[in-house]
Amino acid sequence: MDNSKEKRIIIAIDGYSSTGKSTMAKALARRIGYAYIDTGAMYRAVTLYCLDHGLIDGDKVDEAALQQQLPSIRITFGVDKADGHSVTMLNGRNVESEIRSMRVSGKVSLIAAIGFVRRHLVKQQQAMGRDKGIVMDGRDIGTAVFPDAELKVFVTASAETRARRRYDELRGKGDATVTYDEVLHNVTERDRIDTTRAESPLRQADDALVLDNSTMSIDKQNQWLLDHYRQAATK
């Protein structure tokens, strides 16, 4: 295909947890040569920092301490030399595996609901997209981070489907302790917190395309996304 007429754009992919947003966003970015930014990983990294530094007690966050320490929390993205995959770095340490654990999943929505954390990370995310040519996924990319993005996609699937995918993923990574019911509870609780928080709640942007991938294969999903990218990039 002749790509000479394709302009560089911002692709914003939002949606519920465990819908496979990151997987499809990474695949598209590799296919079209764009940078990929996983904003969910940024909130997970802050959550891991809080857990490791005693800033979370049950469902309570020491917001005063977090606000003081937030400027020293450095989140970057690198590449795993072994497999070439993108990894999340927290103050120079590869934390990709740790931030995907249920320990972090159970608390990340608490951190993501804090206004000053969102504002701090949104500024970083907007700076990353200044020159366009990025695929960014999260909860508020099309509504708060890049409301003028040329392509917005909102991804959804049933809670049960998402919980099963997440459960299978965790078991595949060797977590033999997690139960399906535990994962389903985590998914539904994150949905509740994400959609009801005061600061940039999860919602579909008015001009977003809806992708329900409950019964869609990965190949079909990736082709759907690629087709809509090509339409948006050649307008």
Side-chain angles (χ1 to χ4, degrees):
M1 176 181 173
D2 179 10
N3 295 326
S4 60
K5 295 182 179 179
E6 291 182 358
K7 61 185 178 183
R8 287 170 65 83
I9 66 173
I10 291 174
I11 301 168
I13 301 179
D14 292 309
Y16 293 95
S17 66
S18 302
T19 51
K21 298 187 305 298
S22 297
T23 300
M24 71 176 76
K26 287 177 187 176
L28 178 64
R30 283 195 299 269
R31 177 77 179 266
I32 65 178
Y34 274 25
Y36 163 68
I37 306 297
D38 179 356
T39 65
M42 298 174 76
Y43 289 99
R44 284 175 173 270
V46 175
T47 303
L48 178 63
Y49 177 93
C50 290
L51 288 166
D52 287 348
H53 290 78
L55 302 186
I56 299 178
D57 182 9
D59 288 337
K60 300 292 184 183
V61 180
D62 187 342
E63 294 192 18
L66 175 55
Q67 190 159 24
Q68 184 178 35
Q69 296 176 41
L70 191 57
S72 67
I73 301 176
R74 186 168 58 90
I75 303 166
T76 55
F77 294 94
V79 176
D80 188 323
K81 293 179 181 178
D83 57 20
H85 291 163
S86 174
V87 295
T88 307
M89 310 292 289
L90 174 59
N91 292 336
R93 181 168 66 92
N94 182 346
V95 295
E96 187 63 31
S97 294
E98 290 176 80
I99 64 172
R100 307 299 173 183
S101 67
M102 284 299 294
R103 175 178 177 242
V104 171
S105 294
K107 303 297 182 184
V108 64
S109 288
L110 296 175
I111 299 300
I114 298 173
F116 66 80
V117 173
R118 297 203 73 85
R119 291 189 289 273
H120 179 78
L121 294 183
V122 164
K123 284 183 181 179
Q124 294 183 21
Q125 293 155 11
Q126 289 173 332
M128 292 173 183
R130 192 169 290 131
D131 296 325
K132 301 197 173 186
I134 65 165
V135 183
M136 187 174 286
D137 75 85
R139 300 288 192 280
D140 63 347
I141 312 307
T143 54
V145 183
F146 293 114
D148 296 324
E150 291 86 349
L151 175 59
K152 301 178 188 179
V153 177
F154 189 86
V155 192
T156 185
S158 70
E160 292 76 14
T161 297
R162 292 183 282 130
R164 175 57 61 182
R165 290 172 180 168
R166 180 72 175 138
Y167 172 76
D168 290 344
E169 178 186 9
L170 290 168
R171 298 286 287 192
K173 290 180 177 179
D175 188 342
T177 62
V178 68
T179 67
Y180 170 78
D181 287 342
E182 180 184 6
V183 176
L184 179 59
H185 173 75
N186 174 252
V187 165
T188 54
E189 182 64 7
R190 287 179 66 188
D191 288 352
R192 184 189 66 79
I193 296 174
D194 290 345
T195 56
T196 60
R197 67 181 178 228
E199 189 80 23
S200 299
L202 169 64
R203 66 175 181 84
Q204 177 192 331
D206 293 339
D207 53 348
L209 301 173
V210 177
L211 172 60
D212 186 333
N213 65 5
S214 296
T215 60
M216 189 179 284
S217 70
I218 292 176
D219 286 345
K220 187 174 181 181
Q221 171 181 277
N222 289 347
Q223 188 61 50
W224 182 96
L225 197 56
L226 180 64
D227 291 342
H228 283 289
Y229 153 72
R230 286 172 172 161
Q231 291 175 23
T234 54
K235 281 184 178 179

